[in-house]
Amino acid sequence: KAGVTQTPRYLIKTRGQQVTLSCSPISGHRSVSWYQQTPGQGLQFLFEYFSETQRNKGNFPGRFSGRQFSNSRSEMNVSTLELGDSALYLCASSLVPTGRGTGELFFGEGSRLTVL
Amino acid sequence: GNSVTQMEGPVTLSEEAFLTINCTYTATGYPSLFWYVQYPGEGLQLLLKATKADDKGSNKGFEATYRKETTSFHLEKGSVQVSDSAVYFCALSRTQGGSEKLVFGKGTKLTVNP
C-alpha cells in the first residue's frame, strides 16, 4: 500500500511569508505527527493529531499550527517565516496515537523548506 | 524531562567492521526504546524496538538490548555493509500525564566504505 506522502517536497520562501505543507497518511492510519529536522537541533516534535483533534504539542511558537481533516490528511502552516524555520519537515502516521500502540511511526520523505 | 543522548558522529567504518552506536536515555518509569534509520533522501523507518527491560530488539543483523540499570540501548552490528550507510536515531516513547510523543536523539551518521 502507498506510504506517507508529503507535498511539496521542496520549496523556497522569503522571510515574512507563510507556508502550508500537506501530509497524506497511510490508508487506515488515523494519527499524524509532525517533526522539524535541522542539523543543529535534530528531530523536534511539533504536534500530533488523531481523529481531527490535536493530542499533543511541542515547544514551538504559535506561528506553527496544524490541522487534520476527516480523511486523516493533515496540514501544517507556518506564518511569518523566519530564517531559522529552514528545515526538513517530516510527517509520520500510525494506526493509533503514539503511546497506545507499538510506538512505530511511518515517516514520509519530508518537505524541505528554505527561507531566504 | 525525557531525553535521549547518542554518541556524536560521524562514524566511518570499513565494510565487515563491527559497529556500536551508543545511546543512553533519561526518563521516569519504563519507556519503550527504538532505533530508527534514515537512508539518504528518505524518511525515517523503524529498525528495531524493545518495550521492557532486558528485551533485545533485532532486525537486518542489528541488535540492541534494553538495559535499565545503565539506562542504555546501544545499537550493534557484527559486520556492516556499504548499504548500511545512513543516519541512525535512538528514540524513546513514554506516556506521561496523558500525553505521549517519541523523543529522538540527534542522530549518528554512519558511512561504510568498501
Side-chain angles (χ1 to χ4, degrees):
Chain A
K1 57 184 175 182
V4 177
T5 304
Q6 291 187 245
T7 57
R9 290 291 312 281
Y10 303 92
L11 66 166
I12 299 173
K13 294 285 188 179
T14 56
R15 279 179 297 175
Q17 287 187 309
Q18 74 164 16
V19 66
T20 299
L21 308 178
S22 179
C23 172
S24 293
I26 290 173
S27 178
H29 285 193
R30 295 168 61 196
S31 177
V32 173
S33 300
W34 288 90
Y35 288 82
Q36 182 195 64
Q37 185 178 20
T38 59
Q41 298 298 317
L43 277 159
Q44 293 188 285
F45 173 77
L46 282 157
F47 22 67
E48 179 184 15
Y49 288 88
F50 179 76
S51 295
E52 302 177 66
T53 301
Q54 186 179 88
R55 293 189 68 249
N56 206 349
K57 190 177 189 303
N59 189 26
F60 278 80
R63 300 186 297 107
F64 291 80
S65 63
R67 58 178 175 169
Q68 186 180 33
F69 302 94
S70 58
N71 62 357
S72 295
R73 190 177 70 84
S74 177
E75 289 181 347
M76 67 162 283
N77 184 77
V78 188
S79 62
T80 319
L81 284 166
E82 300 176 0
L83 294 178
D85 297 333
S86 294
L88 181 67
Y89 290 88
L90 291 167
C91 168
S93 74
S94 59
L95 275 170
V96 295
T98 310
R100 296 187 195 175
T102 64
E104 179 171 6
L105 299 180
F106 295 83
F107 283 83
E109 294 177 327
S111 293
R112 185 165 294 282
L113 170 65
T114 301
V115 182
L116 302 176
Chain B
N2 300 327
S3 66
V4 174
T5 302
Q6 286 181 240
M7 63 184 284
E8 291 194 17
V11 174
T12 303
L13 296 173
S14 298
E15 209 165 20
E16 299 184 3
F18 183 84
L19 168 71
T20 300
I21 300 178
N22 291 336
C23 170
T24 57
Y25 67 89
T26 301
T28 55
Y30 306 95
S32 295
L33 301 173
F34 308 86
W35 277 100
Y36 276 80
V37 58
Q38 185 177 32
Y39 297 103
E42 299 183 12
L44 280 74
Q45 55 186 275
L46 180 65
L47 180 60
L48 55 83
K49 67 183 182 194
T51 57
K52 60 183 187 295
D54 299 326
D55 266 3
K56 177 186 283 188
S58 61
N59 185 26
K60 299 181 181 180
F62 290 90
E63 293 183 338
T65 301
Y66 189 142
R67 302 286 188 199
K68 187 174 185 304
E69 62 276 13
T70 54
T71 61
S72 65
F73 193 55
H74 305 321
L75 182 68
E76 295 182 337
K77 186 174 185 181
S79 176
V80 294
Q81 306 300 312
V82 173
S83 56
D84 294 327
S85 297
V87 181
Y88 292 82
F89 294 89
C90 185
L92 68 81
S93 174
R94 174 85 171 91
T95 299
Q96 190 170 16
S99 67
E100 176 67 53
K101 62 180 183 288
L102 280 180
V103 176
F104 288 87
K106 292 197 172 183
T108 303
K109 183 176 182 180
L110 169 67
T111 301
V112 180
N113 295 318

